[in-house]
Amino acid sequence: MRPIRTFNVTPSLPPRLEGLRKLAYNLQWDWDVDTVDLFRRLDPDLWESSRYNPVLMLGTISQQRLQEVAEDEGFIAQTDRALQRMEDYLRERTWYHKNRPQPVGGECYAYFSMEFGLTSCMPVYSGGLGVLAGDHLKSASDLGLPLVAVGLLYQEGYFAQYLNADGWQQERYPVNDFYNMPLQLERDDNGSEIRIAVDYPGRTVYARIWRVQVGTVPLYLLDTNIESNSQYDQDICDRLYGGDIDMRIHQEIMLGIGGVRMLEALGLQPTAYHMNEGHSAFLALERIRMLMQYKGLSFPEAFQVAASSQVFTTHTPVPAGIDLFGADKILYYLGHYARSFGLSDDQFLALGRGDTGDLSTPFSMAVLAIRTASFVNGVSKLHGAVSREMFGLLWQALPLSEVPITSITNGVHARSCVAKPTQELFDRYLGPNWSQAGSKDPLWERVKSIPDEEMWRNHELCRSQLVKYVRNRLKQSLVNRDAPPHEIMKAEEVLDPSVLTIGFARRFATYKRATLFLRDLERIRQIITGSGKLNRRVQFVIAGKAHPRDIPGKELIRSIIHFTRDEGLDSSIVFVPNYDIHTSRAMVAGADVWLNNPRRPREASGTSGMKAAMNGVLNLSVLDGWWDEADYVKTGWAIGSGEEYDNPNYQDDVEANALYELIEKEVVPLFYDRDENDVPRGWVSKMKDAIYLNTPTFNTARMVKEYARRAYFTTSDRLQQLITNQYEPARELAAWNNRLHEHWYAIKIDSINIAEPTDLQVNQTFEVKADINLGQLTPEDVQVELYQGTVQVDGEMHSGVAIPMTYEGDSGQGQSRYGGTLQYSKSGLQGLSLRILPKHRYLNSSLDPGLILWAQPDEVQVSVGEQVPSPLPIAEPAAIAK
């Protein structure tokens, strides 16, 4: 029966407890352990059953209990302290204000992501991408960045996982009750919901806006689940990564285009737009349309403005991970943008095609994001190199090392992932600022001063808490599926809190090889049982979800369950169902070793190992993602030496054997080598190195500072530069770019003279002159460079160093004369070439126009050791232009 009217009924709190409501609606409580303790103290059982949701707890707790704590002076004092901490946090002078004291104009950075993993009671994330996005917002708040975030609010979110009796993953989709979550609807001055409209073929879809306050950062989430939409359109915001290809493009249109319109409706004017993966790349189309419609810019002018202020972060190390849409889908849903831009269908589709000459190439969201961004990065150094190779064809004539895709290595939010007792330990010995301190801060030297006994007892406490948590979680999952009583009772005895515990938790994709440790069943059985030595046993805690349509991933989960049952090892290898943020925090704190064995280089970064390291947990991992740039000798162990294989079966054999060798000969002996106080001194030393070396480096405080300095500040400044004087710089740049493309291919490198010594030696300097016919272009339009590098066995220079040449004037025959000097720093067969790139005062990078001209050996006259006549005097710039 449909109601004739609906009401949003809020909790009735005694006046002395009103502060709890304020605390509940700002997720800053999630990384303030004392505030979490406050909510747990209110009602421990309800705190657990509400999924650690203070809003839901305040709405369901009995009025009697509220009255009791309202008269509890100790509770009131704790509440007052929590409120004071939050108020101090929200108004303190921040890193941003100290490092960006006078930005040009007001700044706002808009961060778009398909998912955000902030806390357990906000299940609108699937895994690492979302948790990374959530940590990005938390650190942006800690640093005081003027950042706002944009996403979608999913009614059912990502699925909840459970296993049937056979160990096969099943999915259920609990409905999120937005009114009992830390969310608030955005309303106008009249109290009405603010709504935005997005055009889809034949109809308009409406969305309302919810706000999640993450410290000082607002996260705005679009919700299409409103009555004015059809059922299909309501389901756009139903499930994360659910539905077919049409539903995916519906969601990405709403995220990108709807997100831009939402910011406009809220009165926000971002100076930088950050696309966290390619899902939101359609935002570029909407920004261009708005600039054309409201600012009177042409498409080329609007494109320059939009691209100048956009940032793209790719998290995908394989082409299969990129969203691709057929040309028919793009034109059906977005063809009206092509018409408003004045582009043909093929010109419009070329914005997202890697190979613009192949009309069968699908439309790539990553390519669209790259083409419309002025800063592009991968999420680890290795992933940056992989991305340059993967997208290198977009700059076909450019050496791979120069492809303009850089890297900013991911991090994690320290106060969110380090266990409470460990945070208290760090606060005592390092001081309260450790969570944001850089690697050069002297406070990290104090890690060594933490007594070994105290460090070890603290970690044993965390391991015991993990064992307790796993038993409770496993027991509850068995009760939920009506398992036999003996099976439920057995769950209360799994794991041993004194045994070496290896944790493995991640998405169950096949390339992550969750079952690699089971490659040799007899050997892993001996490792787990300690070959009869009860004091040297090993146990595994495993968790993770397979995508609902990933049958091979589900098979991996079932194979682990079957092995543990068949071998009677289900007390030593435990799979924890329904992996979420809360489970992750327990595991990265309580495990002794964190295992990660993907196929290199398919792990873009990985962040769970970073969280483990901050808790003093040692990593045992393939050299992929972040671990490839960590100190894997002092802070853990490396599986292999970074090899890559053509034969996956052979690779699995080699790396499984390497894993077993490390566990048997290094990990187990070091863990069980105890002194008279039962403290493993060598192990604790390695724990301290893990904390000391990894916490300040693989931290979102460092990561977000990098994004701010390298991307947000520069793109904001560049936007301000292009829009000054009624967008005159943007108009100038677009007109120049048009003229450049019109005349570029008429440039001719006529001759190169190399004053090469007879016997060239290391570090010996010599001169090079070049005469270039620029045609209708001028020396102000180009930069000419010498390019030197080692010649490889195939006769090519695959990488090298560019050395700018100087314009020396007219050659006397209508050519432009350029000169330069160079030297070689190493011996052997070295090469030399010359190239020409575009140049303009408003150009972000000489690579942006996508034009480069190299000297071709069979087309250029090259002379060696000859005297070159002096050029004519350099004319004034105005004369050159004429």
Side-chain angles (χ1 to χ4, degrees):
M1 182 180 296
R2 294 177 62 83
I4 59 172
R5 179 158 171 73
T6 59
F7 306 89
N8 180 25
V9 181
T10 59
S12 175
L13 298 179
R16 299 186 76 190
L17 298 180
E18 269 301 320
L20 292 175
R21 194 192 313 271
K22 185 176 181 180
L23 290 168
Y25 277 96
N26 190 319
L27 291 190
Q28 193 261 343
W29 59 259
D30 180 70
W31 65 97
D32 185 307
V33 292
D34 291 330
T35 305
V36 171
D37 278 349
L38 174 70
F39 286 123
R40 182 182 288 110
R41 176 180 177 180
L42 186 61
D43 189 323
D45 293 336
L46 189 54
W47 178 245
E48 298 282 339
S49 63
S50 68
R51 292 186 64 177
Y52 321 102
N53 180 349
V55 174
L56 177 60
M57 186 172 72
L58 292 177
T60 53
I61 195 170
S62 69
Q63 290 298 130
Q64 178 183 354
R65 176 56 182 161
L66 289 175
Q67 290 297 335
E68 287 176 2
V69 295
E71 297 170 5
D72 183 337
E73 294 302 324
F75 187 89
I76 297 300
Q78 187 178 0
T79 302
D80 291 343
R81 289 194 299 272
L83 279 168
Q84 188 62 54
R85 280 196 310 277
M86 186 176 76
E87 289 169 3
D88 291 344
Y89 172 87
L90 296 177
R91 67 167 176 257
E92 68 183 5
R93 182 165 174 77
T94 65
W95 177 89
Y96 172 78
H97 291 104
K98 294 174 184 176
N99 290 270
R100 186 77 162 162
Q102 293 181 325
V104 180
E107 288 191 337
C108 174
Y109 315 139
Y111 182 88
F112 285 67
S113 184
M114 195 76 165
E115 52 175 300
F116 290 90
L118 291 157
T119 186
S120 294
C121 67
M122 290 284 298
V124 290
Y125 64 94
S126 70
L129 178 70
V131 175
L132 184 278
D135 283 2
H136 193 110
L137 304 194
K138 293 174 181 179
S139 280
S141 172
D142 292 341
L143 299 172
L145 264 60
L147 185 139
V148 300
V150 177
L152 303 180
L153 184 60
Y154 304 99
Q155 188 74 61
E156 296 183 359
Y158 203 53
F159 69 92
Q161 176 199 56
Y162 67 98
L163 305 183
N164 65 17
D166 188 45
W168 188 256
Q169 174 184 292
Q170 305 283 296
E171 299 87 28
R172 55 185 177 84
Y173 292 86
V175 175
N176 288 321
D177 179 3
F178 300 153
Y179 293 97
N180 277 310
M181 295 168 70
L183 300 161
Q184 292 179 308
L185 272 170
E186 287 296 290
R187 300 181 182 274
D188 60 22
D189 294 339
N190 297 320
S192 301
E193 294 179 1
I194 300 176
R195 295 190 176 185
I196 58 106
V198 178
D199 295 327
Y200 288 83
R203 70 200 193 280
T204 299
V205 178
Y206 299 92
R208 58 185 171 181
I209 306 165
W210 295 84
R211 175 171 50 86
V212 183
Q213 197 62 40
V214 187
T216 62
V217 171
L219 164 59
Y220 296 107
L221 300 171
L222 288 166
D223 171 22
T224 62
N225 192 14
I226 49 181
E227 292 184 354
S228 55
N229 292 328
S230 68
Q231 186 59 55
Y232 183 90
D233 293 338
Q234 290 181 33
D235 289 346
I236 292 173
C237 293
D238 189 21
R239 295 180 179 178
L240 173 61
Y241 305 134
D244 56 15
I245 193 71
D246 284 284
M247 181 54 71
R248 176 62 68 89
I249 199 171
H250 273 78
Q251 290 183 331
E252 297 188 1
I253 288 172
M254 182 57 65
L255 175 63
I257 296 171
V260 171
R261 295 185 182 181
M262 175 180 67
L263 294 173
E264 178 79 8
L266 293 170
L268 297 169
Q269 297 180 321
T271 54
Y273 290 77
H274 188 169
M275 298 171 279
N276 188 44
E277 254 309 336
H279 308 115
S280 61
F282 291 140
L283 71 84
L285 307 181
E286 178 63 9
R287 291 192 65 212
I288 292 170
R289 182 198 68 80
M290 293 174 68
L291 287 164
M292 293 176 68
Q293 180 174 339
Y294 299 122
K295 301 300 180 181
L297 302 183
S298 66
F299 172 75
E301 294 163 352
F303 184 93
Q304 292 290 345
V305 174
S308 72
S309 53
Q310 289 178 189
V311 175
F312 172 52
T313 299
T314 173
H315 295 258
T316 308
V318 289
I322 297 170
D323 279 346
L324 302 174
F325 299 110
D328 56 334
K329 295 287 184 193
I330 293 295
L331 294 176
Y332 177 69
Y333 287 105
L334 297 161
H336 57 285
Y337 278 96
R339 293 186 288 275
S340 69
F341 295 167
L343 302 178
S344 68
D345 288 350
D346 286 335
Q347 288 173 322
F348 181 69
L349 291 168
L351 293 172
R353 280 178 167 161
D355 183 354
T356 56
D358 183 356
L359 302 185
S360 65
T361 302
F363 189 96
S364 163
M365 296 298 283
V367 171
L368 174 63
I370 290 171
R371 285 218 168 99
T372 59
S374 58
F375 182 91
V376 182
N377 71 284
V379 291
S380 68
K381 291 178 182 177
L382 179 59
H383 181 237
V386 170
S387 298
R388 286 190 288 276
E389 184 172 356
M390 192 160 67
F391 297 111
L393 288 177
L394 298 180
W395 297 270
Q396 290 188 11
L398 200 64
L400 207 58
S401 60
E402 292 187 71
V403 169
I405 300 177
T406 184
S407 64
I408 294 179
T409 301
N410 281 346
V412 295
H413 188 254
R415 288 286 184 183
S416 294
C417 67
V418 176
K420 181 193 174 187
T422 307
Q423 287 195 41
E424 292 170 346
L425 181 72
F426 293 170
D427 288 343
R428 283 197 301 277
Y429 287 94
L430 310 183
N433 299 321
W434 62 268
S435 61
Q436 295 189 55
S439 58
K440 295 181 180 179
D441 195 306
L443 72 78
W444 293 110
E445 295 294 332
R446 301 177 207 154
V447 171
K448 300 172 185 176
S449 69
I450 301 175
D452 288 356
E453 292 84 355
E454 193 169 353
M455 174 76 78
W456 183 243
R457 301 308 173 210
N458 177 81
H459 182 66
E460 287 191 311
L461 171 63
C462 291
R463 192 191 314 115
S464 296
Q465 290 175 340
L466 170 63
V467 170
K468 179 181 177 181
Y469 176 83
V470 170
R471 289 172 176 174
N472 290 339
R473 190 73 175 252
L474 185 60
K475 179 181 177 181
Q476 188 59 51
S477 69
L478 293 170
V479 170
N480 290 343
R481 73 167 174 83
D482 296 324
H486 73 276
E487 200 171 336
I488 296 172
M489 291 179 62
K490 192 174 182 180
E492 297 177 350
E493 299 176 355
V494 300
L495 303 178
D496 183 330
S498 66
V499 167
L500 170 62
T501 303
I502 298 177
F504 179 97
R506 50 206 3 98
R507 182 165 54 92
F508 267 69
T510 52
Y511 78 87
K512 293 179 183 284
R513 299 189 297 178
T515 56
L516 184 68
F517 78 108
L518 299 179
R519 189 78 174 172
D520 184 332
L521 298 182
E522 180 57 34
R523 197 165 178 185
I524 193 62
R525 186 187 301 108
Q526 291 178 3
I527 288 172
I528 290 170
T529 60
S531 299
K533 302 173 185 177
L534 296 180
N535 65 331
R536 294 203 164 201
R537 292 183 293 126
V538 177
Q539 58 194 11
F540 289 79
V541 179
I542 302 170
K545 297 177 178 179
H547 188 277
R549 292 191 292 272
D550 184 1
I551 301 303
K554 292 184 176 184
E555 291 283 3
L556 293 176
I557 296 174
R558 182 165 63 177
S559 66
I560 292 172
I561 301 300
H562 281 201
F563 170 75
T564 60
R565 289 177 182 171
D566 294 346
E567 301 297 327
L569 296 174
D570 45 0
S571 291
S572 300
I573 303 177
V574 179
F575 184 90
V576 186
N578 202 28
Y579 184 53
D580 60 10
I581 286 177
H582 201 71
T583 302
S584 168
R585 291 175 181 175
M587 289 182 66
V588 297
D592 299 294
V593 173
W594 198 255
L595 176 64
N596 185 29
N597 40 236
R599 293 195 191 280
R600 176 187 164 106
R602 298 189 63 180
E603 185 92 299
S605 172
T607 53
S608 61
M610 301 175 186
K611 298 170 187 174
M614 287 187 180
N615 283 280
V617 175
L618 307 184
N619 275 266
L620 173 57
S621 175
V622 167
L623 291 176
D624 200 3
W626 79 280
W627 189 235
D628 187 60
E629 58 194 84
D631 189 332
Y632 46 80
V633 175
K634 291 183 178 179
T635 69
W637 298 271
I639 301 172
S641 302
E643 301 91 349
E644 295 177 22
Y645 298 81
D646 294 326
N647 185 329
N649 284 325
Y650 176 70
Q651 178 183 10
D652 289 350
D653 286 339
V654 170
E655 294 183 343
N657 183 68
L659 172 62
Y660 297 142
E661 290 282 317
L662 286 168
I663 294 175
E664 292 167 340
K665 297 180 179 179
E666 297 193 37
V667 178
V668 168
L670 188 65
F671 181 85
Y672 286 108
D673 181 16
R674 309 295 175 90
D675 66 6
E676 64 277 6
N677 296 316
D678 198 31
V679 175
R681 300 285 175 177
W683 189 277
V684 173
S685 176
K686 217 169 176 68
M687 288 177 66
K688 289 181 179 180
D689 282 339
I691 295 163
Y692 169 79
L693 294 171
N694 293 319
T695 304
T697 303
F698 300 103
N699 186 318
T700 43
R702 183 272 312 157
M703 181 194 81
V704 174
K705 287 176 186 177
E706 274 200 70
Y707 277 111
R709 289 191 177 110
R710 297 175 61 188
Y712 300 160
F713 294 173
T714 55
T715 53
S716 295
D717 289 345
R718 180 161 159 70
L719 177 67
Q720 292 298 331
Q721 180 188 53
L722 290 185
I723 68 175
T724 56
N725 195 21
Q726 299 296 310
Y727 293 87
E728 188 56 39
R731 298 181 198 275
E732 178 186 322
L733 181 60
W736 170 84
N737 191 57
N738 182 61
R739 183 170 64 87
L740 180 77
H741 278 79
E742 184 178 351
H743 299 294
W744 181 264
Y745 297 99
I747 297 176
K748 187 173 186 298
I749 304 170
D750 287 333
S751 64
I752 301 174
N753 180 271
I754 306 172
E756 178 185 330
T758 304
D759 184 18
L760 182 61
Q761 298 181 349
V762 170
N763 293 332
Q764 185 174 358
T765 301
F766 62 95
E767 291 188 346
V768 179
K769 305 287 185 182
D771 288 341
I772 300 171
N773 187 339
L774 295 176
Q776 298 298 309
L777 299 177
T778 73
E780 287 190 324
D781 295 322
V782 299
Q783 63 184 53
V784 180
E785 298 174 340
L786 294 172
Y787 190 84
Q788 64 179 91
T790 301
V791 179
Q792 304 296 332
V793 292
D794 59 1
E796 301 281 343
M797 293 184 294
H798 293 285
S799 62
V801 177
I803 302 164
M805 299 186 78
T806 303
Y807 174 62
E808 297 182 346
D810 193 291
S811 68
Q813 299 178 1
Q815 302 155 319
S816 297
R817 172 72 52 78
Y818 287 84
T821 61
L822 75 157
Q823 60 183 9
Y824 289 95
S825 60
K826 57 184 178 181
S827 60
L829 188 60
Q830 303 295 318
L832 171 66
S833 187
L834 180 147
R835 67 185 186 183
I836 304 174
L837 291 163
K839 182 179 69 174
H840 190 277
R841 59 177 174 165
Y842 294 133
L843 197 60
N844 175 61
S845 164
S846 60
L847 302 176
D848 284 354
L851 299 172
I852 183 170
L853 178 64
W854 289 89
Q856 299 299 323
D858 55 348
E859 297 176 4
V860 178
Q861 179 184 344
V862 180
S863 56
V864 179
E866 299 178 6
Q867 292 293 324
V868 181
S870 298
L872 297 177
I874 298 176
E876 294 296 322
I880 293 174
K882 290 179 181 178

